Amino acid sequence: MVRSAASLNASLDGLAAAEPRFAAAMERHGRPDPRISEPGVTTLLRTIVGQQVSVAAARSMWAKLEGKYGSPPDLGRVLVANDDELREAGLSRQKAGYARSLAGLVLSGELDLGKLPADDDEAVALLIKVKGIGRWSAEIYLLFAEGRGDVWPAGDLAVQVQIGRILGLADRPSEKQLRDLAEAWRPHRGAAALFAWHSYNSEGTAL
């Protein structure tokens, strides 16, 4: 788990032992703090709302959604709302469909966010049944909301860039290359992702 400073630091210690170049990078950049989201449907719904918009726009849209459907939004009402009604709450037609998909899966019991499979790949496979939730979003949910210590969002551009820098690679690794490289870091890949974001922000974001 990487939900507390103690658990994250223990995982970072394991990562540094497995790959000395991480240890050297931690000396340069320091260590990240845990990044925690609240587990449950609200976090996933906020993920849908915030896709491909600025932080300010996402906040505005979320405020409209809560204003119309309650805080947290009433999934039963979201499920039966049409596109025009959800557009009044700030959602595009596409995001309205995604929101209804999430509401339907949760209300039917097909997606029980309190009892996701312990196996990370199985949990990802269940989460991506929600329209609009791809592998990256599912992995981010498992990492931040559940604190799963070995989740590896290898499709994240900043993670690819920074791991390439840490390892001294000539080119940014692809998602597949990064998944292969990180096999040696199990079960600390979640800490590797958190450190990659931390050091990427410390070092600069030029791609």
Side-chain angles (χ1 to χ4, degrees):
M1 301 295 285
V2 289
R3 285 186 65 84
S4 69
S7 61
L8 175 56
N9 277 318
S11 196
L12 288 167
D13 287 343
L15 180 66
E19 173 48 73
R21 285 172 288 190
F22 274 107
M26 288 177 207
E27 288 291 325
R28 294 195 303 273
H29 299 295
R31 296 189 171 203
D33 294 321
R35 294 174 64 172
I36 301 170
S37 300
E38 188 69 25
V41 67
T42 299
T43 291
L44 276 181
L45 186 55
R46 291 196 78 139
T47 297
I48 288 170
V49 169
Q51 287 174 344
Q52 298 179 325
V53 298
S54 68
V55 172
R59 286 176 180 159
S60 175
M61 292 163 64
W62 185 255
K64 288 180 181 179
L65 191 66
E66 285 193 320
K68 189 172 180 65
Y69 294 103
S71 179
D74 184 323
L75 294 185
R77 293 175 60 203
V78 169
L79 181 62
V80 299
N82 61 37
D83 288 350
D84 290 337
E85 290 168 336
L86 288 170
R87 187 177 298 111
E88 291 174 2
L91 300 188
S92 66
R93 182 182 300 273
Q94 186 177 54
K95 289 184 179 182
Y98 296 166
R100 286 193 296 264
S101 172
L102 174 61
L105 287 167
V106 170
L107 291 172
S108 71
E110 186 174 349
L111 177 61
D112 185 345
L113 293 170
K115 296 180 181 179
L116 288 174
D119 180 86
D120 294 337
D121 288 335
E122 291 179 12
V124 166
L126 192 56
L127 288 167
I128 63 176
K129 289 185 177 182
V130 180
K131 293 179 181 177
I133 297 295
R135 179 165 184 164
W136 180 87
S137 295
E139 289 170 335
I140 294 300
Y141 176 84
L142 293 173
L143 182 59
F144 293 162
E146 296 205 342
R148 298 196 184 200
D150 200 41
V151 172
W152 183 230
D156 186 275
L157 179 60
V159 170
Q160 293 172 359
V161 168
Q162 193 60 19
I163 294 298
R165 290 171 174 169
I166 291 169
L167 298 182
L169 303 180
D171 299 307
R172 173 170 62 86
S174 67
E175 179 175 352
K176 183 182 184 306
Q177 289 172 322
L178 204 52
R179 292 198 186 279
D180 291 342
L181 281 169
E183 283 297 311
W185 308 337
R186 288 179 179 270
H188 307 298
R189 295 180 300 171
L194 291 171
F195 179 71
W197 285 312
H198 168 75
S199 56
Y200 177 81
N201 290 329
S202 298
E203 194 166 302
T205 58
L207 301 182

